[in-house]
Amino acid sequence: MASGLGPTPLLLAVWGTLGATGFLKVEMAGKTQVVFLNGDVTIYCKIPGSPLLDSSIMGVMWFRKIRGSEMEARLYEYYGGHQAAFRPGASVPLELLERGDASLRLPGIQLREAGEYRCEVVVTPQKAEGVVQVEVVASPAGKVTLDQAPTKENRYARVECKTSGFYPEPITITWEKWTQKAPQHLQISEGVFTGPPVKNEDGTFNVTSYLTLKSPVEADGAIYQCVVGHVSLHTSQRFSLPAIETESAMDNDFWIYVFSIAVAVVFIGLIFFLWKRSCRKTNASSSDIS
Ligand SMILES: *[C@@H]1O[C@H](CO)[C@@H](O)[C@H](O)[C@H]1NC(C)=O
């Protein structure tokens, strides 16, 4: 009966639903995307195999779920030729959007920005959305120093391995030793003390581990490494202490010094002696002539 009047409201509603869930799809970087703290990151959201699109009939919205609630914060939106960034610096390059890439650029991402991100893409009349968990991590910086050098009175040496600026909190720090005699890394378990994590203002952590060397023999030409394992690192990272300058090494240096001076003195003396002798010879020959 209404066939001559075009699509009924019901049909329009069905069409709308189809449009919302139908042919348009977006792909994210998987379930989770791991990014580095302070990095200029790109949160992926792409229409796979997209032809060249007209950005004037497109819209993009990006949201992040607010931690501990079901609410979302709007980060960025583009539609009707206008864009707005609610998170400073957030952007979706339009030339990429026209190629079906609605990925969000976030300069200098912070730890508190981790969480569930949602991108909503409209290519009129279709709509698609994708969700991804963004994890923000930070790799530890490491530094090994001699905290307490061996002296005459105290022959114990204490080596310090300071890791800093990492996130999340779990980290493993072990110690290994390498000598020319045994060319493998030997794990050290004695004399190791690892302090509690301390939190920095930016939410990252520091942990310091100490290795006390029980005998001066141990300090002899060995290379000490602290081995750091963290979720942000593909393989554990090693930080080395250069060979410890022990007393015996210093004694060696002293004798090399004394020997060098002795050699120099003998050499100068020899030159002086030869010079004196040639002078005497010259004197003698000149007196012969006169
Ligand atoms: C963590 O380590 C960094 C680098 O060594 C240092 O600048 C910072 O003060 C440390 N933070 C704390 C809380 O000790």
Side-chain angles (χ1 to χ4, degrees):
M1 35 182 219
S3 60
L5 301 172
T8 61
L10 179 67
L11 195 61
L12 273 178
V14 169
W15 174 245
T17 315
L18 265 180
T21 56
F23 322 102
L24 193 67
K25 269 205 173 77
V26 289
E27 277 177 0
M28 313 300 278
K31 269 206 172 73
T32 58
Q33 188 180 346
V34 177
V35 297
F36 282 88
L37 173 64
N38 297 320
D40 296 339
V41 305
T42 300
I43 317 278
Y44 294 101
C45 176
K46 291 180 183 172
I47 303 169
S50 173
L52 208 59
L53 299 163
D54 175 4
S55 67
S56 69
I57 59 152
M58 292 181 76
V60 180
M61 273 190 262
W62 275 95
F63 304 90
R64 188 187 73 236
K65 207 170 242 179
I66 295 166
R67 225 179 279 197
S69 88
E70 284 303 301
M71 290 203 294
E72 285 181 319
R74 225 174 352 159
L75 303 175
Y76 173 89
E77 66 184 34
Y78 167 82
Y79 63 79
H82 297 284
Q83 50 183 330
F86 304 101
R87 188 273 197 199
S91 68
V92 174
L94 292 188
E95 69 275 14
L96 294 180
L97 184 62
E98 288 177 341
R99 282 186 258 146
D101 184 353
S103 302
L104 179 68
R105 313 290 149 125
L106 293 175
I109 198 161
Q110 296 302 298
L111 293 177
R112 62 190 138 75
E113 295 185 276
E116 189 181 292
Y117 280 69
R118 186 166 66 88
C119 97
E120 216 176 275
V121 178
V122 174
V123 182
T124 315
Q126 298 179 65
K127 183 175 148 188
E129 66 167 34
V131 169
V132 68
Q133 293 293 333
V134 173
E135 281 175 22
V136 183
V137 300
S139 296
K143 196 169 186 222
V144 182
T145 50
L146 200 54
D147 178 42
Q148 191 179 298
T151 60
K152 256 208 182 71
E153 299 77 42
N154 182 9
R155 306 206 70 162
Y156 288 49
R158 195 161 76 146
V159 191
E160 182 188 294
C161 176
K162 187 170 181 190
T163 61
S164 58
F166 58 88
Y167 188 89
E169 191 179 323
I171 194 165
T172 60
I173 304 176
T174 55
W175 287 88
E176 285 181 9
K177 167 187 176 174
W178 182 88
T179 55
Q180 238 136 14
K181 272 174 264 165
Q184 313 121 304
H185 294 274
L186 297 173
Q187 188 156 343
I188 305 169
S189 52
E190 241 177 84
V192 172
F193 168 75
T194 299
V198 292
K199 199 169 184 171
N200 290 306
E201 262 174 40
D202 65 356
T204 62
F205 295 92
N206 291 6
V207 168
T208 304
S209 181
Y210 301 92
L211 168 67
T212 304
L213 300 174
K214 291 274 154 66
S215 76
V217 189
E218 265 191 62
D220 188 21
I223 296 197
Y224 290 90
Q225 287 187 323
C226 92
V227 185
V228 178
H230 189 253
V231 69
S232 66
L233 303 170
H234 284 298
T235 57
S236 49
Q237 204 163 345
R238 294 168 178 276
F239 302 99
S240 306
L241 179 74
I244 298 173
E245 183 105 340
T246 59
E247 261 188 86
S248 64
M250 279 190 271
D251 286 351
N252 273 345
D253 283 355
F254 176 73
W255 286 116
I256 287 169
Y257 186 66
V258 166
F259 181 73
S260 313
I261 287 181
V263 166
V265 164
V266 166
F267 188 69
I268 289 168
L270 193 69
I271 287 178
F272 187 72
F273 170 76
L274 289 173
W275 177 70
K276 258 275 151 70
R277 214 174 60 170
S278 73
C279 272
R280 223 180 289 144
K281 257 191 200 156
T282 325
N283 282 346
S285 51
S286 49
S287 53
D288 282 353
I289 293 163
S290 61

